[in-house]
Amino acid sequence: MRVNPRFTDALVRHFLNLQAYFTVGLLVVIVFIIFIKGISNCSLSFMLTYPEDMGRHGGIFPAIMGTVFLAALSIVFATPLGLGTAIYLTEYTRESRLTTIIRFGVESLAGIPSIIYGLFGFIFFVIKLGMGWSLLSGALTMTIMILPTIIRTSEEAIKAVPRNLRIVSHSLGATKWETTVKVVLPSAAPGILTGIMLSIGRAVGETAAVIFTMGSSLRLPASLMDSGRTMAVHFYILAREGISMEKAYATALVLVVSILAINILAYYTMNRVIAKYS
Amino acid sequence: MMDCALKTEKLNLFYGTFHGLKNVDFCVYRNAITSLIGPSGCGKSTLLRCFNRMNDIIDDVSVNGSVLVNNRPLEEIDIIELRKKVGMVFQRPNPFPFSVRENLVYGLKVHGYKRSDYDDIMERCLRAVGLWDDIKDKMNTPALSLSEEMKQRLCVARVLTVEPEIILLDEPCSALDPIATMKIEELMIELKRFYTILIVTHNMQQAARVSDYTGFMLLGDLIEFGETPKIFTAPQDERTDGYITGRFG
């Protein structure tokens, strides 16, 4: 017997709705649990004071700053490199064996588990180059780790810029570089920004690669060569070593809220940029 | 003999092995409108794009024969200088997805005009295309929010900012409605006082209405070239006659 297509249609629509709600629901549940468990220990002074007794007492100020430093540095290193690669791949070369190899390399880089990056960073930056456990080792390791995301998202964003904009720019006498800087990149900005924001999220949330390279010092890093810890690492150590589950959840709450804030900020900026141009 | 602003002699162009232009001898007279007509794929846009070297962007194109711009061989002219002198308007209105103002100053930035001159130049060019009154208070609105006709006028104004001598128009009205088309045609006739214009069109009435000279192309050959009234009333070649009377095309 033939099933009524209208019935199938309605069924599918409800089913798809359900899936969407389920996804959002998961996010809500996770944030809710973290919120309930963390809010009692989370306060402004928790965010602004130094930890005491391995984190059993006191706040997480150094961890917050460590997270900010690490994320900012890795973005500063990775963005020019990743954007440059994306511009090269899309604007300055034709599809060839070389581009296939580069893309394959980027894909492979993206698929490597973060612990491997941690080990590599430890062997190369910490030991071989003698940087020790430091902000710099951590940031360089994170740079390699987020590079594929930045390259891929930038490349897609640049490719989506209509070809005729490049042509008309050339017809007005602009060189390739002028066209890239003044037409292509501004048009691709929302996409590029998304990639950067995703990368910040990744750097903020990473633990394995960071412990191996940046170490886990509880002090506030005062220079590039100082060790430090991020909120994610702090959370991991507090929970793993049974130091204080209360403080761990409070840290997690700050972490989750800041990631949400970054995403909302990214979304807002992106819409502003898009609204300006279209 | 009148002065040719643009001229080709024995021009041949190949896309890979495809012979796109065959021994074309062509001339675009100064301060006049010349139109190129012919069925799709006849090479009229290809010929037009030879004059500002837009074919360079396409892979696998080879050209031989000569192209003269203001009686100077094309290869002697710096490409940036050439594209300043020979402006181009495209088939679809293609303003940049920026503000009206940023569209107009783009060429000025590229060619290093003084910032203090921007406002005067923008006003002059917007007046020339009849947009000034409509748009002078909307300089910061996104160019993509304008109507199609206004976008195309803006594109013409954008070309005018860098003071070209010659304007190439590649089917500039094919994305516009009849009223907008009429207005762009009036604009072209206005502009020919100061500029040399070459227009590619598949609209024969348009060629007849606006142009002083017409060339008819077919399969890469320039079949016939002459004063527009002659081409349309007494064509010498029977293929021209066939095309303009609608027997093929």
Side-chain angles (χ1 to χ4, degrees):
Chain A
M1 195 190 80
R2 185 164 176 271
V3 181
N4 185 341
R6 266 183 286 275
F7 174 75
T8 320
D9 194 49
L11 193 73
V12 166
R13 183 171 328 125
H14 289 303
F15 187 65
L16 293 178
N17 274 347
L18 209 65
Q19 287 181 313
Y21 290 132
F22 181 72
T23 311
V24 178
L26 270 180
L27 176 72
V28 172
V29 167
I30 290 172
V31 173
F32 184 72
I33 290 176
I34 304 253
F35 190 82
I36 293 296
K37 296 218 172 199
I39 191 67
S40 54
N41 278 289
C42 192
S43 65
L44 196 62
S45 75
F46 177 70
M47 288 187 259
L48 294 178
T49 55
Y50 285 76
E52 289 157 27
D53 193 13
M54 302 296 286
R56 224 165 252 119
H57 305 288
I60 54 164
F61 180 67
I64 292 180
M65 293 317 287
T67 310
V68 172
F69 291 155
L70 180 76
L73 267 180
S74 3
I75 292 300
V76 167
F77 293 150
T79 303
L81 199 57
L83 199 53
T85 309
I87 292 171
Y88 173 74
L89 284 174
T90 49
E91 304 290 309
Y92 278 83
T93 183
R94 280 181 210 156
E95 293 305 311
S96 66
R97 212 183 172 75
L98 181 69
T99 58
T100 314
I101 291 171
I102 294 174
R103 281 208 183 82
F104 180 75
V106 173
E107 299 275 338
S108 311
L109 214 53
I112 296 173
S114 63
I115 186 84
I116 305 290
Y117 284 102
L119 282 173
F120 168 79
F122 179 70
I123 293 165
F124 189 69
F125 297 121
V126 176
I127 308 288
K128 183 82 186 159
L129 297 185
M131 295 176 186
W133 281 313
S134 64
L135 195 51
L136 188 61
S137 304
L140 289 172
T141 309
M142 284 313 299
T143 300
I144 306 175
M145 209 171 127
I146 62 181
L147 209 48
T149 313
I150 295 200
I151 294 173
R152 286 304 305 274
T153 48
S154 305
E155 207 190 332
E156 291 308 318
I158 290 173
K159 271 194 202 156
V161 176
R163 193 174 131 78
N164 68 24
L165 293 184
R166 296 175 176 83
I167 293 177
V168 68
S169 171
H170 286 303
S171 83
L172 286 164
T175 60
K176 189 165 220 139
W177 180 239
E178 285 170 322
T179 303
T180 305
V181 173
K182 292 179 182 155
V183 176
V184 177
L185 292 185
S187 310
I192 295 170
L193 215 63
T194 311
I196 292 175
M197 290 299 166
L198 284 173
S199 304
I200 293 178
R202 210 158 166 215
V204 166
E206 180 53 38
T207 50
V210 178
I211 292 183
F212 276 104
T213 53
M214 188 166 146
S216 57
S217 161
L218 268 173
R219 280 190 303 273
L220 180 69
S223 83
L224 286 179
M225 303 318 285
D226 280 356
S227 171
R229 74 167 65 165
T230 62
M231 283 187 274
V233 170
H234 188 56
F235 172 86
Y236 172 76
I237 291 173
L238 291 183
R240 177 78 175 74
E241 298 180 3
I243 296 170
S244 164
M245 281 317 277
E246 292 79 25
K247 296 286 183 190
Y249 274 111
T251 310
L253 179 58
V254 177
L255 184 62
V256 166
V257 169
S258 36
I259 291 179
L260 278 181
I262 290 170
N263 282 340
I264 291 168
L265 186 74
Y267 192 72
Y268 177 74
T269 339
M270 219 162 68
N271 282 343
R272 281 280 298 270
V273 175
I274 293 170
K276 191 178 159 206
Y277 289 130
S278 51
Chain B
M1 182 64 196
M2 275 182 72
D3 181 23
C4 293
L6 301 172
K7 194 172 186 192
T8 68
E9 282 162 2
K10 301 256 172 298
L11 181 68
N12 283 283
L13 180 142
F14 298 85
Y15 291 115
T17 55
F18 176 73
H19 202 168
L21 294 175
K22 298 169 187 166
N23 265 328
V24 173
D25 292 312
F26 180 55
C27 165
V28 178
Y29 296 112
R30 209 175 288 285
N31 290 33
I33 300 179
T34 303
S35 62
L36 280 171
I37 58 170
S40 300
C42 68
K44 53 194 193 300
S45 290
T46 303
L47 178 56
L48 175 115
R49 284 197 300 264
C50 284
F51 295 116
N52 65 346
R53 287 180 54 188
M54 288 310 279
N55 289 323
D56 288 15
I57 296 173
I58 304 163
D59 293 343
D60 217 16
V61 167
S62 58
V63 184
N64 62 58
S66 77
V67 178
L68 301 166
V69 176
N70 288 333
N71 301 314
R72 276 174 70 198
L74 195 66
E75 51 275 14
E76 281 180 14
I77 308 172
D78 174 62
I79 189 158
I80 293 170
E81 207 41 47
L82 172 74
R83 286 177 178 164
K84 181 174 182 298
K85 200 165 279 178
V86 185
M88 181 164 179
V89 176
F90 295 78
Q91 188 165 0
R92 298 199 63 84
N94 52 5
F96 297 118
F98 311 143
S99 69
V100 169
R101 186 190 171 80
E102 282 172 83
N103 268 279
L104 290 167
V105 300
Y106 186 81
L108 301 177
K109 283 184 186 166
V110 163
H111 294 285
Y113 281 70
K114 280 208 299 276
R115 197 168 280 270
S116 54
D117 293 339
Y118 284 6
D119 285 333
D120 289 343
I121 296 173
M122 282 192 286
E123 179 173 347
R124 176 174 58 76
C125 297
L126 286 174
R127 282 191 193 282
V129 300
L131 267 186
W132 177 248
D133 291 328
D134 290 327
I135 226 173
K136 64 172 187 276
D137 301 321
K138 296 189 199 162
M139 295 299 276
N140 292 317
T141 55
L144 294 182
S145 69
L146 302 175
S147 73
E148 289 297 294
E149 183 215 333
M150 284 169 91
K151 279 185 207 166
Q152 194 63 309
R153 279 174 187 264
L154 180 66
C155 291
V156 177
R158 182 174 59 185
V159 164
L160 298 184
T161 56
V162 298
E163 302 171 278
E165 292 168 25
I166 299 149
I167 302 171
L168 310 174
L169 299 119
D170 191 0
E171 304 197 19
C173 301
S174 63
L176 303 180
D177 64 54
I179 293 169
T181 300
M182 202 177 73
K183 289 185 175 161
I184 297 284
E185 288 177 7
E186 286 166 8
L187 172 61
M188 282 188 257
I189 291 168
E190 279 287 306
L191 290 175
K192 88 172 172 182
R193 282 165 45 209
F194 306 104
Y195 304 94
T196 301
I197 295 177
L198 174 61
I199 172 176
V200 160
T201 177
H202 53 215
N203 178 339
M204 277 180 284
Q205 288 76 21
Q206 181 168 65
R209 281 192 299 263
V210 302
S211 66
D212 304 297
Y213 301 91
T214 298
F216 170 63
M217 292 187 71
L218 188 62
L219 300 171
D221 280 309
L222 181 65
I223 303 291
E224 193 168 349
F225 175 64
E227 289 174 23
T228 300
K230 270 194 193 158
I231 296 283
F232 280 92
T233 55
Q236 302 297 304
D237 194 290
E238 64 179 61
R239 287 167 293 183
T240 314
D241 191 43
Y243 183 71
I244 61 172
T245 54
R247 280 204 294 278
F248 72 93

